[in-house]
Amino acid sequence: MINEKVFDFLKGKGFSDRLREHKETTDTVEHAARQLGCSEAEIAKTLSFVVEEKPVIIVMAGDGRVNSSKFKAYFHTKPSMISRDKVESITGFAPGGVCPFNVPKEIPVWLDVSLKRFDFVYPAGGNDFTSVKLTPAELEQVSEAVGWCDVCKGWEE
């Protein structure tokens, strides 16, 4: 059930050994944390938004929630998520398995600072039965992130 596109991409970056396959779904933060045996906060959830009529991906800690004020201050627009039925056609991955790497080049990937507090984080690996174990710095490298942003709330409380 490994996503070959993601495996090949990670292999090219030297991280294919970090891809893990799970027996049960990792389609939600709760399910992923249960499968990985980590806290929900350590799950790197990948969310898709529309900014200036173009898709943008933001990866944040599993316990973070988008803060409208912070998002608007950073991206100069209200947060508007891509509808679930359009996620796969835009990102190349179905909801529950969207990963922050090997997405179309025109989609910028941003990492939220909520991830920096962990030694390792676990984004999805291209479907809802896989994950990848990476340090925040490795996630930045592999995702070819544009940079770090601060658009979440709830994780500092």
Side-chain angles (χ1 to χ4, degrees):
M1 192 112 194
I2 295 283
N3 181 312
E4 291 301 320
K5 179 175 122 176
V6 171
F7 178 81
D8 291 344
F9 179 83
L10 290 173
K11 186 175 182 180
K13 299 281 187 178
F15 290 99
S16 62
D17 62 327
R18 306 289 188 86
L19 189 61
R20 297 177 175 185
E21 188 171 13
H22 307 284
K23 292 180 181 176
E24 294 182 30
T25 186
T26 56
D27 64 340
T28 65
V29 168
E30 180 183 359
H31 292 155
R34 191 176 320 132
Q35 286 297 302
L36 287 155
C38 67
S39 71
E40 291 183 12
E42 293 168 282
I43 302 302
K45 60 184 176 183
T46 304
L47 302 177
S48 311
F49 294 89
V50 176
V51 173
E52 297 178 3
E53 300 182 26
K54 295 180 182 168
V56 170
I57 288 178
I58 300 176
V59 187
M60 64 187 71
D63 61 347
R65 297 182 317 274
V66 175
N67 178 300
S68 293
S69 302
K70 286 181 169 185
F71 190 99
K72 189 170 185 178
Y74 203 87
F75 291 103
H76 311 292
T77 188
K78 296 185 305 185
S80 175
M81 291 190 71
I82 294 173
S83 65
R84 186 172 178 81
D85 62 326
K86 294 182 180 175
V87 168
E88 187 169 10
S89 66
I90 292 171
T91 67
F93 301 104
V98 178
C99 65
F101 32 83
N102 205 20
V103 296
K105 293 286 184 198
E106 66 272 10
I107 302 178
V109 175
W110 290 89
L111 306 178
D112 186 79
V113 296
S114 60
L115 297 167
K116 286 187 172 187
R117 63 195 152 128
F118 300 109
D119 292 333
F120 292 96
V121 294
Y122 303 88
N127 63 45
D128 58 353
F129 283 88
T130 56
S131 65
V132 184
K133 180 180 181 180
L134 298 166
T135 68
E138 290 168 341
L139 177 59
E140 181 178 18
Q141 175 191 346
V142 174
S143 69
E144 300 173 358
V146 174
W148 292 88
C149 61
D150 182 3
V151 297
C152 287
K153 64 180 178 181
W155 65 274
E156 295 173 314
E157 299 165 0

